[in-house]
Amino acid sequence: MTIRIRDLAMTYPAAGAPAVRDVSLTIPDGAFYTLLGPSGCGKTTTLRCVAGLERPDAGEIAIGDETVFSSSDGVWVAPHDRNIGMVFQSYAIWPHMSVLENVAFPLRYRRPRPSRAETRERAMAALVLVRLDGFADRPAPNLSGGQQQRLALARALVAEPRVLLLDEPLSNLDAKLREEMRLELREMVRRLRVTTLFVTHEQIEALTMSDIVAVMKDGVIVQEGVPADIYGRPTQAFVADFIGKTNLLPGRVMARAGDGGLASIATPVGLLQCRLDGAFGVGDAVTLAVRPEHIALSAGAGEAGGPNAVAGEVAAVIYLGNLIECTVTVGTHLLRVQLHPSTPVARGARVQLALPIEHCLAMRH
Amino acid sequence: MLAIAAVACLCVVVLIATILWLSFTDGTPGDPQLGYTVAHYVDVLTDHFTWRVLGNTLVFLAVTLVVAFALALPIAWLVERTDFPGKPLVFTLMTVALLIPGFAVALGWLFLLHPRIGLVNQAVMAVFGLERAPFDISTIFGMGVVEGLSLTPITFIMIAVALRSMDPALEEAAAMSGARPLQAVLRVTLRVLSPALVAAAIYVAAICFAAFDVPAILGLTNRIFTFSTYVFRALTPTEGAPEYGGVATLGVIMLAIAALMSWGYRTVQRRAPRYAVVTGKAYRPRIAPLGRAKAPAVGFVAGYFLVSQALPLVMLAWASALPFLQTPSARAFASLSLGNFRSIPSELLMRIIGNTAILMVAVPTLTMIASFAMSWVVLRAKTRGAALVDFLAFLPVTVPPIVFSVAALLLALFVLRAVVPLYGTIWLLVIVYAVARLSYGTRMTNTALIQIHRELEEAAQMSGAGTAGVLRAVLLPLLAPTILYAWIWIALLSYRELTLPVVLATGANLPFSMLVWSYVQSSSYGRASAAALIMLTLMVPVLLLYWLAARRAGLIAPR
């Protein structure tokens, strides 16, 4: 079911600054929508407002055709009446219940309440879904971290909720398990076609799992789009920097052609060319972003040749296994470059860097 | 939940407001011509005797603190940081000692060291042919020593908890820097613990300031007062009618001093947050081997228990079996009998046991319901006024019991008389006991509720459970061990309580402790001992229950 949020605003009583302001978004039916951002950006608050665990100050939230919150109409639906499945960061598995009792719990509050036999049947089906059917009668605390996580998912899905909320569900798992669960979770949600709102601060989770990603900062959504656009076409320095590694160069527009044409930007590493849309004029301050994996490095000193070529000296080389990351001093500025591990490069070497025009993205600060 | 918390808050506010109000009234309360005056404050503060009592109380406090710390500090260090044998037993005995009524122990000391009837005095005088008794327990100093011995267990527990929550890496770093064990203790352990120790000292001082049992049993007949017995004497003068305004004024002054102490406690504790709470992190401290010092160490700890608890209780048993107190001799053994036990009217005994049973069931039940409601409002309900509820829940621990009982008496006699006839019923005691235990109860429910991850409740909400469902399905089952533990503890405290009923109990609503008290008042020491002994015996099964509950709640974990 569609989730629609309009002009959501909320300030915690103890805090001065608003946790969320003017957040508006629409999650299409069956989509996997991710709120991504650093801690304190308001992503969890937004999710908790949808859940009904926080009461916003203003705005409107609708799930399907039902408005669950509206400040102007005074609508408020209590969380237990919203029919939402939710997986918590701590999993929130009740330690005094068995695995089966945990899963069956939401069914006890469905109206009409299913019979005992049906409750058991549906709970077992949910456990089968997450491959925990062999653990039904175990005390819940005896499960491992990954199993608890799957149990939490089964409990969130058992009552066939209208939407699913995931609050950093993978953050408590170790790295390897997290990678497995990422795929598993995504596959399961896709199969069930349940509308999902996912909150994370891990860009890799956002990029690999989502249909749509919204990047949040200081309580507002700064960019929304499909993962490839968020990574490849960031519109703000913050997004470029937060998602993946990137080199940010402060600059000023020196000369420009028409809309979408080439422009010259003065930067600390020299004059660089990039494509610029009509919003910028000569003299405007811009930030150029270039991802380290897009910069080409070639050995040798001498004057730079070709468009966007600069000369520098290798300041540090870090071997990362699948690639080499090196820092190159160009003038007074440091540029990060990622290279194939077989590339011969040594500290102190004079090198040439090429910054491809199509990968130099100009954006406002 | 909100309503329960509000009623509990109201009880606290009304009790304290009553005593404040009456301290400014002139004449008999209930009189329509009641006037307002500050004369009581002027009278009390210009009275020479008030200042003498205050001086007495300070000496009493000092002696108590010195005795309690001199014993508790070494014992806590032995148990927590050395290979002292039988540590669980020490914890068990300390907990039991915490619950043995102070008046029973004080009575035992009276039989040992009273200048006239004390056995030690009699024996020493006979052997050395002395004219005068060499020892006198009925002095401020004697009272301080006895109080110090009986407050050692609580001091011990506070220090042991602080020691346990201290990161032993601090001591290890001292050792690696070349400090010998004793230097490490003096230079690092004690310094790091000093905020916790100061907090413990203020806490113990506050208990001591409010103490009634020991000073009452040992000092009242000799007119040696501490502040709490002075308030009691003012309320029950040996001749004439009490001046209620004056009593209320003394109560307010006592309340102010106690409030000052608890403010000091909170300040110190807040400044040492790391040591004030058990971190829950399982530290594994270095255990110092005692070696040849083991035997003296065991002797020291055993000696404490023998002298402070066993000896007085043996004296109690001895006195209970004799028609009058005498030193052990052939004649004394020949006169041993159960006469004292038989002379307690069984009809009276049954009624008193009935009253005590009501108290032991109703008080903890009421306290825990109110405490849970208050904790829930403070920690979970997003209501304004949560801070006020928190403050009011903390307030009763500040109020000395004698002030509570005076406030409740005045309230029942002069304010509520027309509306609800509570005076003389057991329910007055139930309510006052419960209000007095609110701080303890909320502290337990607060701690337990904080440990329950909020998401456990939110998950139930998202599963469709409303507030009642969340409480029934998630919170109460998870809190059950703590609630049960605190319930039994409060039942035990209600059993041994003397200060509250000494003012409030009349013929019909006497609890057990008052039976002992009234025999002491009429100098029937044999019967008082017999009654105290019955009381201690009946306590044993409840103690066992407590032990089981505490183990289940994971609250007893001596290494």
Side-chain angles (χ1 to χ4, degrees):
Chain A
M1 244 176 248
T2 324
I3 300 176
R4 261 170 301 134
I5 300 177
R6 232 180 51 215
D7 303 328
L8 191 73
M10 177 171 175
T11 306
Y12 286 102
V20 167
R21 53 203 162 99
D22 302 330
V23 165
S24 297
L25 57 86
T26 301
I27 309 177
D29 187 28
F32 195 109
Y33 189 101
T34 299
L35 289 174
L36 173 68
S39 62
C41 71
K43 56 191 190 301
T44 295
T45 304
T46 307
L47 176 120
R48 288 173 64 85
C49 287
V50 175
L53 295 171
E54 303 292 348
R55 196 177 185 140
D57 301 327
E60 210 178 289
I61 301 171
I63 299 172
D65 297 329
E66 187 195 9
T67 300
V68 292
F69 170 74
S70 167
S71 55
S72 52
D73 299 340
V75 177
W76 170 255
V77 178
H80 57 269
D81 290 328
R82 290 192 183 188
N83 190 11
I84 289 175
M86 179 161 173
V87 176
F88 290 83
Q89 189 172 9
S90 68
Y91 314 143
I93 300 301
W94 298 301
H96 58 298
M97 298 183 194
S98 71
V99 168
L100 187 70
E101 284 167 340
N102 262 284
V103 181
F105 190 87
L107 298 173
R108 282 164 52 180
Y109 292 94
R110 281 299 149 227
R111 296 289 172 265
R113 187 172 169 165
S115 69
R116 278 180 97 88
E118 193 195 338
T119 301
R120 192 183 160 82
E121 196 181 311
R122 284 174 66 180
M124 282 310 289
L127 285 179
V128 170
L129 190 73
V130 297
R131 294 180 285 110
L132 281 177
D133 41 317
F135 299 84
D137 295 318
R138 276 211 200 175
N142 288 8
L143 297 183
S144 70
Q147 289 168 336
Q148 290 203 11
Q149 212 270 341
R150 296 212 299 267
L151 173 55
L153 185 63
R155 185 180 63 190
L157 293 171
V158 71
E160 288 159 14
R162 297 187 288 185
V163 295
L164 179 64
L165 306 180
L166 305 171
D167 184 10
E168 309 221 18
L170 303 174
S171 62
N172 280 334
L173 300 175
D174 61 52
K176 209 161 167 58
L177 200 53
R178 196 181 309 178
E179 205 170 318
E180 284 170 28
M181 281 309 297
R182 215 152 63 202
L183 293 173
E184 200 174 318
L185 188 61
R186 181 69 192 104
E187 274 317 299
M188 202 172 304
V189 172
R190 199 176 298 246
R191 215 166 40 204
L192 296 171
R193 291 195 43 79
V194 54
T195 310
T196 304
L197 176 58
F198 177 64
V199 156
T200 184
H201 63 269
E202 292 279 350
Q203 40 145 332
I204 184 85
E205 287 171 12
L207 295 178
T208 54
M209 297 168 78
S210 321
D211 296 320
I212 307 167
V213 179
V215 181
M216 287 189 77
K217 182 196 176 194
D218 299 335
V220 293
I221 293 178
V222 291
Q223 189 177 355
E224 184 190 64
V226 299
D229 278 352
I230 294 290
Y231 186 85
R233 311 226 71 80
T235 55
Q236 292 197 25
F238 170 78
V239 177
D241 197 34
F242 187 75
I243 317 253
K245 290 176 177 172
T246 201
N247 292 296
L248 292 177
L249 298 165
R252 190 169 294 281
V253 180
M254 302 309 285
R256 58 161 307 153
D259 189 8
L262 283 178
S264 292
I265 315 287
T267 74
V269 302
L271 213 56
L272 294 177
Q273 290 193 311
C274 72
R275 299 207 178 270
L276 208 57
D277 64 35
F280 294 92
V282 172
D284 282 0
V286 294
T287 297
L288 271 191
V290 197
R291 299 242 181 237
E293 68 266 29
H294 291 138
I295 299 180
L297 177 144
S298 53
E303 274 304 296
N308 287 1
V310 294
E313 186 185 313
V314 178
V317 180
I318 301 161
Y319 178 68
L320 291 172
N322 61 339
L323 53 87
I324 290 176
E325 189 172 290
C326 61
T327 314
V328 179
T329 316
V330 181
T332 57
H333 206 85
L334 291 174
L335 285 177
R336 281 214 292 212
V337 185
Q338 284 178 353
L339 306 165
H340 191 266
S342 64
T343 321
V345 60
R347 202 169 153 228
R350 306 282 308 168
V351 292
Q352 295 245 10
L353 300 178
L355 284 55
I357 292 174
E358 66 273 27
H359 291 299
C360 290
L361 302 174
M363 54 196 70
R364 297 199 186 274
H365 290 294
Chain B
M1 296 294 263
L2 276 173
I4 298 172
V7 169
C9 287
L10 196 68
C11 284
V12 176
V13 170
V14 166
L15 277 175
I16 291 173
T18 305
I19 199 162
L20 273 174
W21 170 59
L22 284 176
S23 74
F24 289 105
T25 58
D26 187 17
T28 314
D31 193 337
Q33 309 270 293
L34 204 63
Y36 289 90
T37 172
V38 290
H40 297 305
Y41 285 90
V42 177
D43 286 351
V44 166
L45 292 175
T46 52
D47 186 354
H48 223 61
F49 203 67
T50 310
W51 294 101
R52 231 179 69 204
V53 169
L54 208 56
N56 274 349
T57 310
L58 282 179
V59 177
F60 175 65
L61 276 181
V63 176
T64 301
L65 278 181
V66 168
V67 172
F69 271 79
L71 290 166
L73 206 55
I75 299 178
W77 185 76
L78 283 172
V79 170
E80 288 294 322
R81 289 288 203 269
T82 72
D83 59 347
F84 190 86
K87 293 173 183 180
L89 184 66
V90 176
F91 269 93
T92 311
L93 288 175
M94 283 294 186
T95 315
V96 173
L98 208 60
L99 287 165
I100 294 178
F103 56 85
V105 175
L107 211 49
W109 282 103
L110 209 60
F111 299 152
L112 277 169
L113 295 174
H114 188 276
R116 191 167 42 78
I117 61 167
L119 293 191
V120 174
N121 280 328
Q122 286 187 25
V124 172
M125 280 158 73
V127 170
F128 296 101
L130 297 177
E131 290 279 302
R132 286 174 45 127
F135 305 108
D136 187 357
I137 198 71
S138 298
T139 57
I140 282 296
F141 185 79
M143 280 155 39
V145 172
V146 172
E147 186 70 37
L149 287 175
S150 70
L151 288 183
T152 301
I154 183 74
T155 317
F156 163 82
I157 287 170
M158 291 188 79
I159 298 174
V161 165
L163 268 174
R164 197 172 290 182
S165 56
M166 171 185 162
D167 187 349
L170 299 171
E171 282 169 336
E172 287 163 4
M176 298 315 290
S177 314
R180 279 193 301 264
L182 188 63
Q183 287 176 319
V185 167
L186 294 179
R187 291 250 176 96
V188 176
T189 316
L190 281 182
R191 294 283 172 86
V192 171
L193 283 182
S194 62
L197 293 181
V198 172
I202 300 176
Y203 188 82
V204 172
I207 298 180
C208 179
F209 177 67
F212 179 78
D213 297 32
V214 171
I217 298 269
L218 294 180
L220 218 47
T221 46
N222 287 21
R223 292 186 55 77
I224 297 176
F225 299 116
T226 63
F227 220 96
S228 55
T229 50
Y230 186 52
V231 173
F232 175 71
R233 182 47 78 220
L235 187 69
T236 55
T238 35
E239 52 207 46
E243 238 263 85
Y244 288 112
V247 176
T249 306
L250 281 176
V252 171
I253 293 173
M254 195 172 178
L255 186 60
I257 298 174
L260 201 68
M261 284 186 177
S262 87
W263 173 78
Y265 174 71
R266 281 212 142 182
T267 312
V268 174
Q269 210 192 27
R270 206 170 297 146
R271 256 198 278 163
R274 275 196 54 200
Y275 313 115
V277 291
V278 184
T279 52
K281 203 166 158 185
Y283 287 129
R284 195 159 281 280
R286 278 194 330 152
I287 298 296
L290 284 171
R292 280 193 301 180
K294 195 172 268 181
V298 171
F300 173 67
V301 176
Y304 161 72
F305 284 117
L306 285 178
V307 171
S308 74
Q309 311 293 332
L311 189 61
L313 294 185
V314 168
M315 285 312 300
L316 215 58
W318 175 250
S320 72
L322 286 170
F324 63 96
L325 197 59
Q326 47 194 314
T327 44
S329 66
R331 212 179 47 148
F333 277 103
S335 61
L336 288 180
S337 78
L338 292 175
N340 283 324
F341 292 89
R342 292 215 187 89
S343 70
I344 303 173
S346 62
E347 179 271 331
L348 175 69
L349 197 60
M350 291 325 287
R351 194 175 76 219
I352 278 172
I353 289 178
N355 282 340
T356 311
I358 294 177
L359 283 171
M360 287 180 76
V361 174
V363 171
T365 307
L366 206 61
T367 311
M368 290 323 289
I369 291 174
S371 297
F372 177 68
M374 289 172 101
S375 288
W376 190 82
V377 168
V378 170
L379 293 170
R380 291 298 198 257
K382 292 160 189 166
T383 330
R384 264 186 294 169
L388 182 69
V389 175
D390 194 27
F391 175 71
L392 289 177
F394 160 78
L395 212 51
V397 79
T398 312
V399 183
I402 191 78
V403 177
F404 249 132
S405 48
V406 168
L409 177 75
L410 301 179
L411 183 69
L413 277 182
F414 303 121
V415 183
L416 290 181
R417 194 175 43 184
V419 197
V420 227
L422 272 178
Y423 185 69
T425 69
I426 192 77
W427 302 109
L428 177 63
L429 289 185
V430 168
I431 293 169
V432 177
Y433 276 40
V435 172
R437 300 278 169 246
L438 266 184
S439 303
Y440 172 76
T442 48
R443 204 172 64 214
M444 296 300 290
T445 43
N446 272 347
T447 317
L449 205 53
I450 286 170
Q451 280 168 358
I452 293 176
H453 201 305
R454 228 196 159 108
E455 290 186 349
L456 290 175
E457 292 151 64
E458 290 175 347
Q461 276 182 286
M462 296 316 293
S463 303
T467 307
V470 173
L471 284 178
R472 201 179 52 241
V474 177
L475 271 185
L476 287 179
L478 289 174
L479 287 172
T482 309
I483 290 180
L484 182 68
Y485 165 86
W487 192 95
I488 298 178
W489 181 257
I490 293 172
L492 282 165
L493 290 181
S494 307
Y495 187 63
R496 55 160 285 179
E497 180 64 53
L498 173 67
T499 321
L500 295 174
V502 87
V503 169
L504 292 173
T506 50
N509 58 4
L510 285 183
F512 220 127
S513 53
M514 283 302 291
L515 182 64
V516 182
W517 172 257
S518 52
Y519 284 134
V520 171
Q521 288 298 83
S522 58
S523 297
S524 314
Y525 289 122
R527 260 182 277 176
S529 308
L533 222 55
I534 300 175
M535 191 174 166
L536 287 171
T537 314
L538 290 178
M539 196 171 169
V540 171
V542 193
L543 260 179
L544 282 175
L545 271 183
Y546 163 76
W547 202 243
L548 291 175
R551 283 239 318 251
R552 216 183 114 204
L555 286 165
I556 302 171
R559 272 186 287 269

